[in-house]
Amino acid sequence: PRSVHGPKESKAVEQVTFARDEMANLAWGIETRIEGKGGSAIQRDQQWARERDAILDRQISKVATQKLKDSEPPWAYRLLTVAPPYWVPFLPEVKDGLAMPNLIRARMREWDLLGDQQAKFAGAKGTLLVPDKPLSINEEEILEGGVTVSRHYQSARAPDGRLLLWSANKKRPAAPTQGSGRETDKIDRGEP
């Protein structure tokens, strides 16, 4: 039979980890890596970390309406801290008042805090989470410890010498996630 010989595989150009969050009754699609315009991988957590503080400081200063005395340190109570914008929530699907066995991609209201940077940072950006169409995942597909899906380029030579190139997805159990860093009932005390 005709077959390709010795396929080669690139490093993952895209990677999403699906993790359950039993406390919140949802799952997260954590988009850790996406393919950039030049074909190289972009680490979303590093991209967000570089610009996070400046973006959030601008948005918080817009919301702040009360000026504090110089000697009085600012305090902020947060009912729930913000999850990173590359963590995409998947909620249980409900039809006619009944829970379905699917999880559907949703959005976070917190993404609105990003203002004009929302399009750059918030939500799904890679092809695995299909950002331009509704996405539904069967709940059973997400293992208790999570699952990682990655996209790689593969190439091989055909028997007649032609170079073949294609994109392939791989699924494997996930490494333990660090968590979103979300905290409840938090008081931030700023510097005086």
Side-chain angles (χ1 to χ4, degrees):
R2 297 174 60 91
S3 63
V4 295
H5 180 67
K8 304 284 185 197
E9 183 174 87
S10 72
K11 292 181 180 178
V13 292
E14 192 171 345
Q15 183 172 312
V16 177
T17 298
F18 293 95
R20 291 180 178 270
D21 187 344
E22 299 295 344
M23 294 294 288
N25 193 28
L26 58 81
W28 293 102
I30 307 162
E31 201 171 48
T32 54
R33 187 179 299 157
I34 58 171
E35 185 175 9
K37 292 184 181 183
S40 61
I42 296 172
Q43 298 291 109
R44 294 232 24 218
D45 58 341
Q46 293 173 8
Q47 177 192 38
W48 172 241
R50 282 192 298 271
E51 300 187 41
R52 167 188 57 219
D53 294 335
I55 291 169
L56 293 179
D57 285 346
R58 279 196 308 268
Q59 295 305 323
I60 289 170
S61 66
K62 286 180 187 177
V63 174
T65 57
Q66 182 183 35
K67 293 192 177 195
L68 300 170
K69 299 175 193 170
D70 290 342
S71 62
E72 185 179 332
W75 290 64
Y77 170 75
R78 297 175 196 245
L79 178 64
L80 184 66
T81 58
V82 179
Y86 55 91
W87 284 56
V88 179
F90 283 81
L91 303 175
E93 185 176 10
V94 177
K95 285 187 182 175
D96 299 325
L98 299 173
M100 306 303 288
N102 296 330
L103 298 171
I104 55 173
R105 186 182 56 225
R107 70 179 307 278
M108 302 289 289
R109 282 184 182 238
E110 297 150 354
W111 294 347
D112 296 334
L113 293 174
L114 297 175
D116 59 345
Q117 297 294 312
Q118 183 175 347
K120 181 177 180 181
F121 291 106
K125 302 295 177 208
T127 59
L128 290 175
L129 288 181
V130 197
D132 55 344
K133 296 180 184 173
L135 180 61
S136 174
I137 298 173
N138 192 314
E139 188 177 7
E140 295 173 354
E141 292 292 323
I142 302 176
L143 306 173
E144 185 177 331
V147 66
T148 297
V149 178
S150 56
R151 186 169 63 86
H152 305 259
Y153 284 111
Q154 296 181 342
S155 68
R157 292 277 177 196
D160 61 2
R162 289 180 297 126
L163 178 64
L164 305 174
L165 177 69
W166 66 95
S167 177
N169 298 340
K170 287 186 172 183
K171 178 181 167 184
R172 67 180 192 282
T177 57
Q178 296 297 319
S180 65
R182 294 187 89 171
E183 299 174 296
T184 59
D185 295 323
K186 183 175 185 205
I187 294 179
D188 292 332
R189 182 175 179 178
E191 296 299 320

